[in-house]
Amino acid sequence: MTLRRATPADAEAIARVNQHARWFQPSLADEVDPGALAYFAEEVLPQNEVWVSETAAGVIGVIAFTPEWVNHLYVLPDHQGQGLGGVLLDIAKAQSRDLQLWTFVGNTKARRFYEARGFVLEEETDGSRNMEREPDVRYRWRA
């Protein structure tokens, strides 16, 4: 496994990891949602520090962050539970003294993951401010 800074050429692989990890849609293995591809290529990569983890098979994990926010952290389902998410999160933590992130209330796996790594619940919403309209929570980590 290799960790490296992402490049614009990684946008499609990052969008694919996002699709598989977030919505677990194996049927999309050979096609990437054009909107997701544009989002990662035109917004996420230029506005965040983005790191990927890859094997010979390709990108298996990604983190996108700013000095204050973890905006995306995804690991392919077949590679979850093996410490990769923690390794990616440590890259962001090493470059900040105060990080925040949002996740959905119902994403108990992610919530346990972040809480086990020192993130503390700061806010819970009814979801009216996010595009999915799902209740969410804001977590914060301080060095």
Side-chain angles (χ1 to χ4, degrees):
M1 178 189 72
T2 303
L3 292 171
R4 64 174 175 79
R5 292 278 306 256
T7 69
D10 293 312
E12 185 173 341
I14 292 168
R16 185 172 280 115
V17 169
N18 166 264
Q19 284 179 186
H20 285 276
R22 190 166 183 194
W23 294 290
F24 191 61
Q25 296 177 337
S27 64
L28 297 176
D30 294 324
E31 58 184 84
V32 173
D33 174 63
L37 177 56
Y39 172 69
F40 283 100
E42 298 168 12
E43 294 184 39
V44 174
L45 280 159
Q47 297 173 19
N48 291 267
E49 182 164 334
V50 183
W51 285 73
V52 295
S53 171
E54 64 185 349
T55 65
V59 174
I60 60 171
V62 60
I63 187 165
F65 61 93
T66 66
E68 298 86 23
W69 289 91
V70 174
N71 293 309
H72 299 279
L73 175 56
Y74 302 112
V75 175
L76 289 176
D78 290 347
H79 297 276
Q80 292 177 3
Q82 300 172 18
L84 178 55
V87 169
L88 290 166
L89 188 59
D90 284 346
I91 293 170
K93 289 169 85 174
Q95 298 183 43
S96 180
R97 303 217 27 95
D98 188 352
L99 282 171
Q100 298 182 74
L101 60 87
W102 288 97
T103 193
F104 295 116
V105 168
N107 191 347
T108 55
K109 190 174 181 180
R111 294 181 70 179
R112 282 193 307 270
F113 171 83
Y114 292 121
E115 290 169 4
R117 284 150 187 85
F119 283 78
V120 177
L121 178 67
E122 293 241 327
E123 178 182 6
E124 188 168 341
T125 79
D126 63 3
S128 62
R129 295 182 296 182
N130 66 51
M131 69 182 190
E132 293 88 353
R133 298 294 183 242
E134 291 290 326
D136 56 3
V137 288
R138 181 174 53 84
Y139 280 95
R140 183 176 223 153
W141 171 85
R142 291 183 174 107

